[in-house]
Amino acid sequence: MKSKKMPNRPKTREEVMEQVRELDVRFVRLQFTDILGIVKNVDIPVDQLGKAMDGNLLFDGSSIEGFVRMEESDMLLMPDPATFAIFPWEERGAGVTARLICDIHNADGTPFEGDPRGALKRMMQEAQALGGYTMMVGPEPEFFLFQRDAEGKPTTRTNDQGGYFDLGPVDRGEECRRDIILALQRMGFEIESTHHEGAPGQHEIDLRYADAVTTADNIATFRFVVRTIALQHGLHASFMPKPMSGVAGSGLHLHQSLFRGNENAFYDVKSDNMLSKVAGQYLAGLLVHAPAFTAVCNPLVNSYKRLVPGYEAPVYIGWSERNRSHFLRVPMRRGKSTRLELRSPDPSCNPYLALAAIMAAGLDGIRRGLTPPDPLNRSVYRMSPEEREVEGIRSLPGNLHEALVELERDEVIQDALGPQICGAFLDAKMIEWDLYRVQVHAWELEQYLGTF
């Protein structure tokens, strides 16, 4: 018998322990992410859960990307009770497995500055201090389903040739996508919609908005669940931004707003476009800091194969109330649904760091009282370079190195990440860029080997 949908989320240690007994949990995975956004976990038998919930479980942080040096390796996992969930693919007879997402603390109990989740929590505290704001985010992650070869290794052969909004039998990923949604719902997710995306084998599942920390938790969990269910169907799910040439890449559109209590601070019924002054300032901050936070939101060499003209991904830094060629769009809905849609991030990012960097950019716009330029509601791609220059429209970084240079220049985004995370991130990504830069690629051999 498969585990059923999660009961109400626990809020305390005692409520977690009660649900563990009620659901017959045998093992618990204590999960966290490294600076690259890769989910890590420590498995414990359920009889050790009380010790973990009391903050008495040490682990070796020196083996985790971007954490600490060997001589200061002991770190504490601090489980968040609100993240308790049951993995729905576990058979009850074999022992149910649960998970808890953890914050990372130093051995003395203080928060670890290199914890990505902690960086996002610090930005949430800054938003509260600035104006009582809570950042709310609704993510739209895209991914590909690929076939595996005879040895079970991933290929780039898609399992269908479907297109945007296609359905079965053209969309042969429907069954897998359905099982992904069912698994997510059993874990407590609320799914808003799902559909086949524009490229063969490409899919999108939209998650309901939540506060930024919960959304980052959800994105990290989403990627793990999608890969697990795809494997059960003999497929490989990839969140690589651009796994194939000639088709659209995968994005992670982020619908965001600031709430003050139950009121959307981006909404003002008295303004011409019903966007508040705060929304304009936040939007202006995103425009100013876009080059720097691109390094965090598009963190792979491959990310910049997606950010090119012709495949729906944004290239130019601008905003519109309708046009989807800009990297920032304001959907038509107003009231509590007033929001900004950031279209540039991709699903390979560390969601905690991406949301921390984005929030820092927006809050900086509010602090400085920035005024956004007028919206541009025509296609930027049809404009000449001269027209774009007149309008003051800049391009997003053209490759990972350009983005990293922009991050090195931007103190606001650096401060949001903190010195430990920012330094480790820049080091890791500069190494990645150098490894890519010195490689001889297949395209070069095809172009040059027989000619020169």
Side-chain angles (χ1 to χ4, degrees):
M1 178 180 176
K2 294 287 186 181
S3 58
K4 298 180 180 179
K5 183 176 178 179
M6 273 282 300
N8 291 333
R9 291 286 187 193
K11 296 181 176 63
T12 65
R13 176 192 189 281
E14 290 69 27
E15 289 175 348
V16 168
M17 302 304 288
E18 181 180 346
Q19 288 198 8
V20 162
R21 290 189 293 271
E22 177 186 335
L23 298 170
D24 191 26
V25 172
R26 305 291 179 84
F27 296 93
V28 180
R29 291 185 178 179
L30 305 178
Q31 297 185 330
F32 58 97
T33 65
D34 64 15
I35 64 164
L36 302 182
I38 306 301
V39 175
K40 306 291 185 178
N41 74 257
V42 175
D43 276 338
I44 60 170
V46 73
D47 59 10
Q48 295 297 306
L49 180 58
K51 176 182 176 181
M53 295 297 294
D54 291 337
N56 293 319
L57 187 66
L58 287 169
F59 77 103
D60 180 8
S62 66
S63 59
I64 305 300
E65 181 71 53
F67 273 23
V68 293
R69 298 184 298 271
M70 185 67 72
E71 63 269 21
E72 51 186 30
S73 59
D74 283 344
M75 314 207 72
L76 289 169
L77 291 172
M78 302 293 292
D80 183 345
T83 65
F84 179 81
I86 299 295
F87 290 127
W89 49 82
E90 300 286 354
E91 293 289 348
R92 185 172 292 273
V96 174
T97 299
R99 77 90 199 267
L100 284 160
I101 295 176
C102 300
D103 296 310
I104 309 299
H105 285 203
N106 298 306
D108 63 3
T110 58
F112 173 49
E113 289 187 357
D115 177 17
R117 194 171 191 257
L120 180 54
K121 284 188 167 184
R122 289 194 296 271
M123 287 309 306
M124 293 287 277
Q125 291 168 358
E126 286 193 24
Q128 279 291 322
L130 180 63
Y133 300 123
T134 298
M135 184 189 190
M136 305 296 289
V137 185
E140 296 179 348
E142 297 171 348
F143 59 94
F144 280 86
L145 291 176
F146 291 119
Q147 297 179 38
R148 295 176 178 267
D149 65 17
E151 297 179 347
K153 296 179 180 179
T155 72
T156 53
R157 297 193 309 270
T158 61
N159 72 324
D160 68 48
Q161 293 298 312
Y164 198 65
F165 278 10
D166 275 344
L167 68 164
V170 178
D171 175 7
R172 297 178 62 188
E174 276 188 336
E175 184 177 347
C176 180
R177 204 168 66 232
R178 178 203 65 195
D179 287 348
I180 290 169
I181 291 169
L182 291 174
L184 291 168
Q185 288 175 330
R186 291 187 188 111
M187 293 183 73
F189 280 65
E190 186 171 347
I191 307 301
E192 293 212 322
S193 65
T194 180
H195 59 85
H196 196 290
E197 255 297 336
Q202 188 183 34
H203 305 269
E204 176 177 314
I205 298 175
D206 300 339
L207 311 181
R208 180 169 174 78
Y209 74 91
D211 69 87
V213 174
T214 300
T215 294
D217 289 341
N218 288 344
I219 293 170
T221 300
F222 176 86
R223 294 188 299 207
F224 173 73
V225 171
V226 169
R227 290 194 185 103
T228 299
I229 301 300
L231 181 60
Q232 293 177 357
H233 283 259
L235 300 170
H236 172 69
S238 176
F239 293 93
M240 184 176 175
K242 187 80 168 186
M244 297 186 295
S245 299
V247 298
S250 291
L252 175 65
H253 298 178
L254 297 170
H255 294 253
Q256 55 200 279
S257 55
L258 294 181
F259 270 67
R260 191 185 286 116
N262 291 322
E263 297 299 321
N264 189 329
F266 282 2
Y267 176 59
D268 181 359
V269 70
K270 297 178 182 178
S271 70
D272 291 341
N273 57 5
M274 290 187 282
L275 290 178
S276 69
K277 185 177 180 180
V278 167
Q281 294 169 341
Y282 185 98
L283 187 157
L286 296 184
L287 297 178
V288 167
H289 295 286
F293 69 63
T294 296
V296 183
C297 295
N298 306 87
L300 306 184
V301 166
N302 180 257
S303 296
Y304 299 84
K305 306 296 178 69
R306 167 181 168 260
L307 298 178
V308 296
Y311 296 99
E312 297 188 10
V315 178
Y316 302 107
I317 301 171
W319 76 284
S320 171
E321 294 173 304
R322 294 181 296 276
N323 196 303
R324 294 174 184 266
S325 65
H326 286 287
F327 100 125
L328 192 60
R329 185 177 75 93
V330 181
M332 297 300 293
R333 297 288 298 276
R334 291 295 185 267
K336 285 195 173 182
S337 297
T338 308
R339 61 194 187 273
L340 309 179
E341 179 190 7
L342 184 64
R343 299 171 58 81
S344 59
D346 69 55
S348 70
C349 68
N350 181 323
Y352 301 100
L353 299 186
L355 292 180
I358 292 165
M359 195 188 321
L363 295 182
D364 186 57
I366 296 172
R367 286 194 190 94
R368 294 164 58 190
L370 299 181
T371 301
D374 292 335
L376 192 64
N377 291 322
R378 60 182 176 132
S379 175
V380 188
Y381 298 119
R382 296 178 182 176
M383 299 171 64
S384 67
E386 293 76 18
E387 289 176 310
R388 288 196 293 270
E389 184 175 357
V390 169
E391 295 287 350
I393 298 173
R394 299 173 295 160
S395 297
L396 289 168
N399 57 52
L400 179 60
H401 183 262
E402 290 181 12
L404 294 173
V405 170
E406 293 289 349
L407 176 57
E408 288 180 319
R409 295 171 177 165
D410 194 314
E411 293 183 0
V412 169
I413 306 304
Q414 290 183 38
D415 288 346
L417 304 182
Q420 177 146 349
I421 290 175
C422 192
F425 181 85
L426 284 167
D427 288 346
K429 290 301 166 178
M430 284 296 188
I431 291 171
E432 180 179 336
W433 173 255
D434 284 339
L435 288 172
Y436 169 74
R437 183 177 57 83
V438 301
Q439 290 293 319
V440 177
H441 300 276
W443 182 90
E444 297 171 85
L445 297 176
E446 292 172 3
Q447 292 291 315
Y448 307 134
L449 187 61
T451 304
F452 297 97

